[in-house]
């Protein structure tokens, strides 16, 4: 039977693909994305991190238009972010005094914006590359990686974090980082779908990678080794200062009293660590208090490390600047201590105003950057020097950036991160944040001290295991010991480049394989 041109075009480009009704398909995709939150802390149901991407893959495999594919991916991504990052509602509504209705709209808009990553993933999967598990998983890693830098980045909700304590898979993290863990999980998810479609050959790459990761887990290679010095005794101070009081001028002295009181019995330990901005004023405004703490630290041979807003008056030029640059910083003081670290990754609209100057045309925002905008620290900063060791630092959510933390970890003996997660109340946000710190410890083979205002304050070893942990929302001190380690993991040496190279190669091969060898020129 001879096909007409019209018939052939319909078969090659079906306008109405068979399958589920579009509305039902979009709903399933949205629910699959929303359910992913169950795979992360505090729920920890890691199989959901396989099932959720598997559903998206299954929805995208049938032949469909690019528009339909994009909407499915967009729905998945919107569900993922609206539910997975709903902890933002607490900071927007409770502490930002935004009306409920407007806060919900803002969350929805954020979900739609971040959902574009999965929308374009689905579109490219449908139109550009071959529809098979390797290309799907490679595109997934590409969109996760883009979230670490595009528009300053929002590197949250990665699939790999669901396997942080599943060492049969996360053993890949010290070798090629969290993206490799995500890749294997997503590849397994898509391969299972193909297995159910009786195309079991697609399972071979997944099985091979799982054998590699499981072998690493069983062999347990020590990518780093103890430095050979005595473990250090540490006290992490958790002040539990209410967020609505923390920055009030009239509460500043009370905040200092709380931290000083909690620390009174900790002098004499090797390290006393205070959280992010635990001194809620510039160092120039707290000279007397800082001098008193430093004197106590030196007297008891204690290193005191604290978060503090740092004003660099030496860099101020009145002819060009409106005010001296200031930084969200952590400083090492007291006995055997030296160094200042300035935060590199700032939170948009929280620590600085994007498009400075442009927003001055809006009366309500004119000049707001003069109050809100921290300066960005250099990405070439020296580690803190603490008791003869190099100490790498990360402040608040910049520990979510794998490559930033990796660079800060090079040449260090152990790491710290300080934070104030009071902004997110009792939501899952602080627990997800802790899970990321565990992954950073595993990637870099270093112990982590994590001091926070309200929790979760913890000590984490070089395998990403929580050694000590303080309860949330309590005014308390967490005591423990940390080990100095030396050496570099493969991830520290090479970063994300190997996994990104492999992903790019897979996508190029998939694209070339999809191109028709004998394209139809015309039909008479």
């Amino acid at each position: 039977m001879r096909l007409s041109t019209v018939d052939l075009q319909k078969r090659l480009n079906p306008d109405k693909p068979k399958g589920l009704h579009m509305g039902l398909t979009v709903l399933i995709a949205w629910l699959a994305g929303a359910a992913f939150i169950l795979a992360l802390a505090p729920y920890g149901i890691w199989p959901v991190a396989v099932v959720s991407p598997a559903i998206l893959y299954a929805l995208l495999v049938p032949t469909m238009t690019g528009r339909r594919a994009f909407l499915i991916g967009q729905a998945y991504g919107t569900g993922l972010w609206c539910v997975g990052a709903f902890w933002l509602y607490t900071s927007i509504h409770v502490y930002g005094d935004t009306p409920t209705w407007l806060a919900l709209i803002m969350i929805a808009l954020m979900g739609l914006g971040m959902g574009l990553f999965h929308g374009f993933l689905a579109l490219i999967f449908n139109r550009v590359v071959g529809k098979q598990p390797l290309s799907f998983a490679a595109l997934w890693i590409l969109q996760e990686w883009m979230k670490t830098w595009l528009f300053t980045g929002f590197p949250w909700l990665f699939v790999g974090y669901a396997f942080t304590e599943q060492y049969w898979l996360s053993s890949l993290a010290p070798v090629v980082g969290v993206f490799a863990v995500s890749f294997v999980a997503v590849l397994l998810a898509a391969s299972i779908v193909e297995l159910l479609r009786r195309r079991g050959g697609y399972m071979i790459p997944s099985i091979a990678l799982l054998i590699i990761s499981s072998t690493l887990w069983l062999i347990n290679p020590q990518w780093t080794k103890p430095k050979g010095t005595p473990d250090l005794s540490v006290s992490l101070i958790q002040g539990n200062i209410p967020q609505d009081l923390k920055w009030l001028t009239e509460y500043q002295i009370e905040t200092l009293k709380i931290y000083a009181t909690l620390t009174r019995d900790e002098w004499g330990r090797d390290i006393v660590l205070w959280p992010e901005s635990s001194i809620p004023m510039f160092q120039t405004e707290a000279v007397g208090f800082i001098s008193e703490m430093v004197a106590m630290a030196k007297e008891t041979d204690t290193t005191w490390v604290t978060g503090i807003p740092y004003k660099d008056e030496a860099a101020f030029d009145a002819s060009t600047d409106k005010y001296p640059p200031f930084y969200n910083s952590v400083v090492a003081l007291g006995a055997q201590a030296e160094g200042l670290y300035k935060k590199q990754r700032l939170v948009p609209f929280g620590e600085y105003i994007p498009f400075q100057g442009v927003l001055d045309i809006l009366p309500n925002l004119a000049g707001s950057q003069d109050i809100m905008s921290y300066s960005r620290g250099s990405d070439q900063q020296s580690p803190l020097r603490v008791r003869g060791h190099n100490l790498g630092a990360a402040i608040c959510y910049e520990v979510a950036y794998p490559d930033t933390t990796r660079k800060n970890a090079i040449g260090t003996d152990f790491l710290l991160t300080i934070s104030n997660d009071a902004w997110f109340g009792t939501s899952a946000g602080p627990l997800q944040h802790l899970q990321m710190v565990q992954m950073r410890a595993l990637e870099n083979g270093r112990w982590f001290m994590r001091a926070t205002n309200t929790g979760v304050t913890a000590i984490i070893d070089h395998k990403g295991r929580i050694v000590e942990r303080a309860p949330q929302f309590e005014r308390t001190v967490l005591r423990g010991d940390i080990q100095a380690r030396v050496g570099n993991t493969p991830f520290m040496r090479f970063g994300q480049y190997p996994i990104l190279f492999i992903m790019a190669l897979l996508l190029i091969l998939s694209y070339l394989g999809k191109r028709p060898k004998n394209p139809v020129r015309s039909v008479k």
Side-chain angles (χ1 to χ4, degrees):
M1 181 176 67
R2 193 171 183 177
L3 294 175
S4 67
T5 302
V6 175
D7 290 335
L8 184 57
Q9 288 178 341
K10 285 184 176 180
R11 293 195 179 190
L12 293 175
N13 302 289
D15 294 325
K16 296 182 179 180
K18 296 180 180 180
L20 297 173
H21 184 274
M22 187 59 187
L24 180 59
T25 302
V26 167
L27 177 60
I28 292 173
W30 191 94
L31 291 173
F36 179 79
I37 184 63
L38 297 175
L40 302 178
Y43 313 104
I45 310 173
W46 65 262
V48 175
V50 176
V51 174
S52 177
I55 293 174
L56 178 60
Y57 180 84
L59 293 175
L60 291 174
V61 164
T63 302
M64 63 184 68
T65 62
R67 175 179 175 273
R68 181 184 178 99
F70 178 83
L71 290 176
I72 292 172
Q74 176 71 49
Y76 179 93
T78 302
L80 172 70
W81 283 91
C82 283
V83 177
F86 192 76
W87 43 266
L88 288 169
Y89 174 83
T90 303
S91 57
I92 295 172
H93 171 62
V94 177
Y95 298 115
D97 293 326
T98 304
T100 300
W101 64 271
L102 181 57
L104 292 174
I105 290 176
M106 293 173 70
I107 295 293
L109 291 174
M110 179 274 299
L112 286 170
M114 296 302 295
L116 290 171
F117 285 96
H118 277 92
F120 282 107
L121 176 157
L123 178 62
I124 296 171
F125 181 66
N126 179 262
R127 308 294 292 179
V128 179
V129 298
K131 285 189 173 184
Q132 43 89 5
L134 284 169
S135 61
F136 181 75
L139 285 169
W140 194 290
I141 301 313
L142 179 63
Q143 61 89 23
E144 285 195 346
W145 170 69
M146 290 179 67
K147 289 173 186 172
T148 67
W149 58 269
L150 189 62
F151 304 124
T152 76
F154 192 0
W156 219 268
L157 303 177
F158 291 174
V159 169
Y161 290 129
F163 300 90
T164 298
E165 296 183 357
Q166 305 301 317
Y167 300 107
W168 51 270
L169 184 51
S170 63
S171 57
L172 291 171
V175 184
V176 269
V178 67
F179 292 142
V181 183
S182 293
F183 175 74
V184 177
V186 176
L187 179 63
L188 176 63
S191 300
I192 290 173
V193 174
E194 294 294 351
L195 180 64
L196 295 176
R197 299 175 71 210
R198 299 182 180 180
R199 304 168 89 178
Y202 284 112
M203 285 294 297
I204 295 175
S206 299
I207 294 172
L209 290 172
L210 286 173
I211 290 173
I212 293 173
S213 64
S214 298
T215 301
L216 287 172
W217 170 50
L218 294 173
I219 295 175
N220 191 27
Q222 298 299 308
W223 303 110
T224 61
K225 62 181 181 180
K227 190 176 182 180
T229 55
D231 291 354
L232 299 175
S233 60
V234 299
S235 293
L236 314 184
I237 315 300
Q238 183 171 293
N240 197 35
I241 310 298
Q243 187 58 39
D244 53 351
L245 299 177
K246 180 175 175 63
W247 293 104
L248 294 180
T249 303
E250 57 269 28
Y251 202 78
Q252 289 178 337
I253 301 301
E254 181 64 23
T255 296
L256 298 181
K257 287 181 179 179
I258 289 170
Y259 277 100
T261 300
L262 287 171
T263 309
R264 184 180 301 154
D265 295 331
E266 307 309 314
W267 298 120
R269 306 278 286 176
D270 289 324
I271 299 174
V272 169
L273 178 61
W274 290 11
E276 178 186 14
S277 300
S278 46
I279 299 178
M281 59 188 76
F282 292 120
Q283 84 283 4
T284 53
E285 301 168 336
V287 173
F289 177 80
I290 293 173
S291 297
E292 182 181 343
M293 293 296 104
V294 169
M296 186 66 70
K298 289 182 176 180
E299 181 181 333
T300 56
D301 191 30
T302 298
T303 298
W304 176 44
V305 183
T306 182
I308 185 172
Y310 179 82
K311 183 189 293 184
D312 191 355
E313 294 185 331
F316 177 56
D317 184 349
S319 63
T320 57
D321 303 326
K322 294 181 180 179
Y323 50 82
F326 57 94
Y327 303 86
N328 189 349
S329 70
V330 56
V331 61
L333 301 166
Q336 305 182 56
E338 179 185 3
L340 173 73
Y341 173 77
K342 302 169 183 176
K343 188 178 182 183
Q344 302 175 43
R345 295 283 190 168
L346 303 178
V347 180
F349 298 103
E351 293 178 310
Y352 79 103
I353 299 293
F355 316 114
Q356 289 195 9
V358 176
L359 296 180
D360 279 349
I361 62 175
L362 303 175
N364 291 337
L365 292 177
S368 61
Q369 63 267 31
D370 294 344
I371 300 173
M372 299 176 64
S373 292
Y374 283 90
S375 296
R376 177 184 175 275
S378 168
D379 56 3
Q380 299 294 327
Q381 300 183 58
S382 300
L384 304 176
R385 284 293 294 172
V386 172
R387 311 194 77 80
H389 300 285
N390 286 336
L391 172 59
I395 299 177
C396 195
Y397 106 125
E398 69 178 350
V399 80
Y401 292 82
D403 205 50
T404 299
T405 306
R406 178 188 72 86
K407 291 176 180 177
N408 289 348
I410 294 174
T412 66
D413 303 321
F414 47 88
L415 302 167
L416 72 79
T417 179
I418 56 175
S419 186
N420 176 29
D421 288 345
W423 283 104
F424 312 118
T426 59
S427 70
L431 297 167
Q432 294 174 12
H433 202 179
L434 173 65
Q435 198 169 48
M436 294 178 185
V437 181
Q438 292 179 259
M439 182 60 75
R440 299 291 89 81
L442 185 57
E443 287 173 336
N444 296 287
R446 294 294 190 277
W447 283 58
F448 251 104
M449 298 181 288
R450 184 173 195 256
T452 68
N453 176 26
T454 58
V456 182
T457 297
I459 297 172
I460 301 164
D461 74 7
H462 63 290
K463 292 292 186 179
R465 298 170 297 206
I466 296 174
V467 177
E468 303 286 349
R469 172 175 168 170
Q472 283 184 280
F473 313 113
E474 290 186 16
R475 193 162 291 166
T476 187
V477 176
L478 179 66
R479 300 178 185 90
D481 298 300
I482 60 169
Q483 182 185 79
R485 297 185 71 87
V486 294
N488 294 327
T489 64
F491 176 74
M492 289 179 70
R493 293 180 183 276
F494 305 109
Q496 301 164 145
Y497 296 109
I499 188 70
L500 293 177
F501 174 78
I502 294 171
M503 297 304 100
L505 183 61
L506 288 175
L507 291 174
I508 291 171
L509 292 175
S510 181
Y511 168 74
L512 295 176
K514 180 182 174 67
R515 295 177 62 187
K517 295 180 180 179
N518 297 302
V520 178
R521 295 182 179 179
S522 62
V523 178
K524 295 183 179 180

